[in-house]
CSV table of all heavy atoms in Angstrom, one decimal:
chain,number,residue,atom,x,y,z
H,1,GLY,N,38.3,150.8,73.2
H,1,GLY,CA,38.3,150.7,74.6
H,1,GLY,C,37.8,149.5,75.2
H,1,GLY,O,37.9,149.2,76.4
H,2,GLY,N,37.0,148.7,74.4
H,2,GLY,CA,36.4,147.5,74.8
H,2,GLY,C,37.3,146.3,74.9
H,2,GLY,O,38.5,146.4,74.6
H,3,SER,N,36.7,145.2,75.1
H,3,SER,CA,37.6,144.0,75.3
H,3,SER,C,36.9,142.8,74.6
H,3,SER,O,35.6,142.8,74.5
H,3,SER,CB,37.7,143.7,76.8
H,3,SER,OG,38.4,144.7,77.5
H,4,LEU,N,37.8,141.9,74.3
H,4,LEU,CA,37.3,140.6,73.7
H,4,LEU,C,38.2,139.6,74.2
H,4,LEU,O,39.4,139.8,74.4
H,4,LEU,CB,37.2,140.6,72.2
H,4,LEU,CG,36.1,141.4,71.4
H,4,LEU,CD1,36.5,141.3,69.9
H,4,LEU,CD2,34.8,140.7,71.7
H,5,ARG,N,37.7,138.3,74.2
H,5,ARG,CA,38.5,137.2,74.5
H,5,ARG,C,38.4,136.1,73.5
H,5,ARG,O,37.3,135.7,73.2
H,5,ARG,CB,38.2,136.6,75.9
H,5,ARG,CG,39.2,135.5,76.3
H,5,ARG,CD,38.9,134.9,77.7
H,5,ARG,NE,37.8,134.2,77.8
H,5,ARG,CZ,37.5,133.1,78.8
H,5,ARG,NH1,38.5,133.0,79.6
H,5,ARG,NH2,36.5,132.5,78.7
H,6,LEU,N,39.5,135.8,72.8
H,6,LEU,CA,39.4,134.9,71.7
H,6,LEU,C,39.9,133.4,72.2
H,6,LEU,O,41.1,133.3,72.6
H,6,LEU,CB,40.3,135.3,70.6
H,6,LEU,CG,40.2,136.7,70.0
H,6,LEU,CD1,41.0,137.0,68.9
H,6,LEU,CD2,38.6,137.0,69.6
H,7,PRO,N,39.2,132.5,72.1
H,7,PRO,CA,39.6,131.1,72.4
H,7,PRO,C,40.2,130.4,71.1
H,7,PRO,O,39.6,130.7,70.0
H,7,PRO,CB,38.4,130.5,72.9
H,7,PRO,CG,37.2,131.1,72.0
H,7,PRO,CD,37.7,132.5,71.9
H,8,CYS,N,41.1,129.6,71.4
H,8,CYS,CA,41.6,128.7,70.2
H,8,CYS,C,41.6,127.3,70.8
H,8,CYS,O,42.3,127.0,71.7
H,8,CYS,CB,43.0,129.1,69.8
H,8,CYS,SG,43.8,128.0,68.7
H,9,ALA,N,40.6,126.5,70.4
H,9,ALA,CA,40.5,125.2,70.9
H,9,ALA,C,41.2,124.2,69.9
H,9,ALA,O,41.1,124.2,68.7
H,9,ALA,CB,38.9,124.7,70.9
H,10,ALA,N,42.1,123.4,70.6
H,10,ALA,CA,42.9,122.5,69.8
H,10,ALA,C,42.4,121.1,70.0
H,10,ALA,O,42.0,120.7,71.2
H,10,ALA,CB,44.3,122.6,70.2
H,11,SER,N,42.5,120.2,69.1
H,11,SER,CA,42.2,118.8,69.1
H,11,SER,C,43.0,118.1,68.1
H,11,SER,O,43.6,118.5,67.2
H,11,SER,CB,40.7,118.7,68.9
H,11,SER,OG,40.3,119.0,67.5
H,12,GLY,N,43.1,116.7,68.4
H,12,GLY,CA,43.7,115.9,67.5
H,12,GLY,C,45.2,115.8,67.5
H,12,GLY,O,45.9,115.2,66.6
H,13,GLY,N,45.7,116.5,68.4
H,13,GLY,CA,47.2,116.5,68.6
H,13,GLY,C,47.8,115.2,69.2
H,13,GLY,O,47.2,114.5,69.8
H,14,THR,N,49.1,115.1,68.9
H,14,THR,CA,49.8,113.9,69.5
H,14,THR,C,50.4,114.3,70.9
H,14,THR,O,50.3,115.5,71.3
H,14,THR,CB,51.0,113.5,68.5
H,14,THR,OG1,51.9,114.6,68.4
H,14,THR,CG2,50.4,113.0,67.2
H,15,SER,N,50.9,113.4,71.5
H,15,SER,CA,51.6,113.6,72.8
H,15,SER,C,53.0,114.2,72.5
H,15,SER,O,54.0,113.6,72.8
H,15,SER,CB,51.6,112.5,73.6
H,15,SER,OG,52.1,112.7,75.0
H,16,CYS,N,53.0,115.4,72.1
H,16,CYS,CA,54.1,116.2,71.8
H,16,CYS,C,54.1,117.5,72.4
H,16,CYS,O,53.0,118.0,72.9
H,16,CYS,CB,54.5,116.2,70.3
H,16,CYS,SG,54.6,114.6,69.5
H,17,ARG,N,55.2,118.3,72.3
H,17,ARG,CA,55.1,119.7,72.8
H,17,ARG,C,54.7,120.6,71.8
H,17,ARG,O,55.0,120.5,70.6
H,17,ARG,CB,56.6,120.0,73.3
H,17,ARG,CG,57.1,119.3,74.4
H,17,ARG,CD,58.5,119.7,74.7
H,17,ARG,NE,59.1,119.0,75.8
H,17,ARG,CZ,60.3,118.9,76.3
H,17,ARG,NH1,61.3,119.8,75.6
H,17,ARG,NH2,60.8,118.3,77.3
H,18,TYR,N,53.7,121.4,72.2
H,18,TYR,CA,53.1,122.5,71.3
H,18,TYR,C,53.3,123.9,71.9
H,18,TYR,O,53.1,124.1,73.1
H,18,TYR,CB,51.7,122.2,71.1
H,18,TYR,CG,51.4,120.9,70.3
H,18,TYR,CD1,51.3,119.7,70.8
H,18,TYR,CD2,51.3,121.0,68.9
H,18,TYR,CE1,51.1,118.5,70.2
H,18,TYR,CE2,51.0,119.8,68.1
H,18,TYR,CZ,50.9,118.6,68.8
H,18,TYR,OH,50.7,117.5,68.0
H,19,ASP,N,53.6,124.7,71.0
H,19,ASP,CA,53.6,126.2,71.3
H,19,ASP,C,52.5,126.8,70.6
H,19,ASP,O,52.2,126.4,69.4
H,19,ASP,CB,55.0,126.9,71.0
H,19,ASP,CG,56.1,126.3,71.7
H,19,ASP,OD1,56.0,125.8,72.8
H,19,ASP,OD2,57.2,126.4,71.2
H,20,PHE,N,51.8,127.8,71.2
H,20,PHE,CA,50.7,128.4,70.5
H,20,PHE,C,51.0,129.9,70.3
H,20,PHE,O,51.6,130.5,71.1
H,20,PHE,CB,49.3,128.2,71.3
H,20,PHE,CG,48.9,126.8,71.2
H,20,PHE,CD1,49.3,125.8,72.2
H,20,PHE,CD2,48.0,126.3,70.3
H,20,PHE,CE1,48.9,124.5,72.2
H,20,PHE,CE2,47.5,125.0,70.3
H,20,PHE,CZ,48.0,124.1,71.3
H,21,SER,N,50.4,130.4,69.3
H,21,SER,CA,50.6,131.8,69.0
H,21,SER,C,49.4,132.3,68.2
H,21,SER,O,48.6,131.6,67.7
H,21,SER,CB,51.9,132.1,68.2
H,21,SER,OG,51.8,131.4,66.9
H,22,TRP,N,49.2,133.7,68.3
H,22,TRP,CA,48.2,134.4,67.6
H,22,TRP,C,48.8,135.4,66.6
H,22,TRP,O,49.8,136.0,66.9
H,22,TRP,CB,47.3,135.1,68.6
H,22,TRP,CG,46.4,134.3,69.3
H,22,TRP,CD1,46.5,133.7,70.6
H,22,TRP,CD2,45.0,133.9,68.9
H,22,TRP,NE1,45.3,133.1,71.1
H,22,TRP,CE2,44.5,133.2,70.0
H,22,TRP,CE3,44.3,134.2,67.8
H,22,TRP,CZ2,43.1,132.6,70.0
H,22,TRP,CZ3,43.0,133.7,67.8
H,22,TRP,CH2,42.5,132.9,68.8
H,23,TYR,N,48.2,135.4,65.4
H,23,TYR,CA,48.6,136.3,64.4
H,23,TYR,C,47.4,137.0,63.9
H,23,TYR,O,46.3,136.6,64.1
H,23,TYR,CB,49.3,135.6,63.2
H,23,TYR,CG,50.7,135.1,63.5
H,23,TYR,CD1,50.9,133.9,64.2
H,23,TYR,CD2,51.8,135.8,63.1
H,23,TYR,CE1,52.1,133.4,64.4
H,23,TYR,CE2,53.2,135.4,63.4
H,23,TYR,CZ,53.3,134.1,64.1
H,23,TYR,OH,54.5,133.6,64.2
H,24,ARG,N,47.5,138.2,63.3
H,24,ARG,CA,46.4,138.9,62.7
H,24,ARG,C,46.9,139.5,61.4
H,24,ARG,O,47.9,139.8,61.1
H,24,ARG,CB,46.0,140.0,63.7
H,24,ARG,CG,46.9,141.1,64.0
H,24,ARG,CD,46.4,142.1,65.0
H,24,ARG,NE,47.2,143.2,65.1
H,24,ARG,CZ,47.1,144.2,66.1
H,24,ARG,NH1,46.0,144.1,66.9
H,24,ARG,NH2,47.8,145.1,66.2
H,25,GLN,N,45.7,139.7,60.7
H,25,GLN,CA,46.0,140.3,59.3
H,25,GLN,C,44.8,141.1,58.9
H,25,GLN,O,43.6,140.6,58.9
H,25,GLN,CB,46.2,139.2,58.3
H,25,GLN,CG,46.6,139.7,56.9
H,25,GLN,CD,47.1,138.6,55.9
H,25,GLN,OE1,46.7,137.4,56.2
H,25,GLN,NE2,48.0,138.9,55.1
H,26,ALA,N,45.0,142.4,58.7
H,26,ALA,CA,43.9,143.3,58.1
H,26,ALA,C,44.1,143.2,56.6
H,26,ALA,O,45.0,142.9,56.0
H,26,ALA,CB,44.2,144.6,58.7
H,27,PRO,N,42.9,143.6,55.9
H,27,PRO,CA,42.9,143.5,54.5
H,27,PRO,C,44.0,144.4,53.9
H,27,PRO,O,44.2,145.6,54.3
H,27,PRO,CB,41.5,144.1,54.1
H,27,PRO,CG,40.7,143.7,55.3
H,27,PRO,CD,41.6,143.9,56.5
H,28,GLY,N,44.8,143.9,52.9
H,28,GLY,CA,45.8,144.7,52.3
H,28,GLY,C,47.0,144.8,53.2
H,28,GLY,O,47.9,145.6,52.7
H,29,THR,N,47.2,144.1,54.3
H,29,THR,CA,48.4,144.2,55.1
H,29,THR,C,49.0,142.8,55.2
H,29,THR,O,48.5,141.8,55.0
H,29,THR,CB,48.0,144.8,56.5
H,29,THR,OG1,47.3,143.9,57.2
H,29,THR,CG2,47.3,146.2,56.3
H,30,GLU,N,50.3,143.0,55.7
H,30,GLU,CA,50.9,141.6,56.0
H,30,GLU,C,50.5,141.0,57.4
H,30,GLU,O,50.0,141.7,58.3
H,30,GLU,CB,52.5,142.0,56.2
H,30,GLU,CG,53.1,142.4,54.8
H,30,GLU,CD,54.6,142.6,55.1
H,30,GLU,OE1,55.1,142.6,56.3
H,30,GLU,OE2,55.4,142.7,54.1
H,31,ARG,N,50.6,139.8,57.5
H,31,ARG,CA,50.2,139.1,58.7
H,31,ARG,C,51.2,139.5,59.8
H,31,ARG,O,52.5,139.6,59.6
H,31,ARG,CB,50.2,137.6,58.5
H,31,ARG,CG,49.9,136.8,59.7
H,31,ARG,CD,49.5,135.4,59.4
H,31,ARG,NE,48.4,135.2,58.6
H,31,ARG,CZ,47.9,134.0,58.3
H,31,ARG,NH1,48.4,132.9,58.7
H,31,ARG,NH2,46.8,134.0,57.5
H,32,GLU,N,50.6,139.8,60.9
H,32,GLU,CA,51.4,140.4,62.0
H,32,GLU,C,51.4,139.5,63.2
H,32,GLU,O,50.3,138.9,63.6
H,32,GLU,CB,50.8,141.7,62.4
H,32,GLU,CG,51.5,142.4,63.6
H,32,GLU,CD,50.7,143.7,64.0
H,32,GLU,OE1,49.5,143.8,63.7
H,32,GLU,OE2,51.4,144.5,64.7
H,33,PHE,N,52.5,139.4,63.9
H,33,PHE,CA,52.6,138.5,65.1
H,33,PHE,C,51.9,139.3,66.2
H,33,PHE,O,52.1,140.5,66.3
H,33,PHE,CB,54.0,138.2,65.5
H,33,PHE,CG,54.1,137.7,66.9
H,33,PHE,CD1,53.9,136.3,67.1
H,33,PHE,CD2,54.6,138.5,67.9
H,33,PHE,CE1,54.1,135.7,68.3
H,33,PHE,CE2,54.7,137.9,69.2
H,33,PHE,CZ,54.5,136.6,69.3
H,34,VAL,N,51.0,138.6,67.0
H,34,VAL,CA,50.4,139.2,68.1
H,34,VAL,C,50.9,138.7,69.4
H,34,VAL,O,51.3,139.5,70.3
H,34,VAL,CB,48.8,139.0,68.0
H,34,VAL,CG1,48.0,139.4,69.3
H,34,VAL,CG2,48.3,139.5,66.7
H,35,SER,N,50.9,137.4,69.6
H,35,SER,CA,51.3,136.9,70.9
H,35,SER,C,51.6,135.4,70.8
H,35,SER,O,51.1,134.7,69.8
H,35,SER,CB,50.2,137.1,72.0
H,35,SER,OG,50.7,136.6,73.2
H,36,SER,N,52.4,134.8,71.7
H,36,SER,CA,52.6,133.4,71.7
H,36,SER,C,52.8,133.0,73.2
H,36,SER,O,53.1,133.7,74.0
H,36,SER,CB,53.9,133.1,70.9
H,36,SER,OG,55.1,133.7,71.5
H,37,ILE,N,52.6,131.7,73.3
H,37,ILE,CA,52.8,131.0,74.6
H,37,ILE,C,53.6,129.7,74.4
H,37,ILE,O,53.2,128.9,73.6
H,37,ILE,CB,51.5,130.9,75.4
H,37,ILE,CG1,51.8,130.3,76.8
H,37,ILE,CG2,50.6,130.0,74.6
H,37,ILE,CD1,50.6,130.3,77.7
H,38,HIS,N,54.7,129.7,75.2
H,38,HIS,CA,55.5,128.4,75.0
H,38,HIS,C,55.0,127.3,75.8
H,38,HIS,O,54.2,127.6,76.8
H,38,HIS,CB,57.0,128.7,75.5
H,38,HIS,CG,58.1,127.7,75.1
H,38,HIS,ND1,58.4,126.7,76.0
H,38,HIS,CD2,58.8,127.6,74.1
H,38,HIS,CE1,59.3,125.9,75.5
H,38,HIS,NE2,59.6,126.5,74.4
H,39,SER,N,55.3,126.0,75.4
H,39,SER,CA,54.9,124.9,76.2
H,39,SER,C,55.2,125.0,77.7
H,39,SER,O,54.5,124.4,78.5
H,39,SER,CB,55.3,123.7,75.6
H,39,SER,OG,56.8,123.6,75.6
H,40,PHE,N,56.2,125.7,78.0
H,40,PHE,CA,56.7,125.8,79.4
H,40,PHE,C,56.0,127.1,80.0
H,40,PHE,O,56.3,127.3,81.3
H,40,PHE,CB,58.2,126.0,79.5
H,40,PHE,CG,58.9,124.8,79.0
H,40,PHE,CD1,60.1,124.9,78.3
H,40,PHE,CD2,58.5,123.5,79.2
H,40,PHE,CE1,60.8,123.9,77.8
H,40,PHE,CE2,59.2,122.4,78.9
H,40,PHE,CZ,60.4,122.5,78.1
């Protein structure tokens, strides 16, 4: 029931378009898509 906020700090990128996403993986499980944000 609680909350957390996860930051993802990016550096070193070129002047190009980037989309960002979050995935998660628990032990013994497949990596799962969580969320994404398009450059737009």
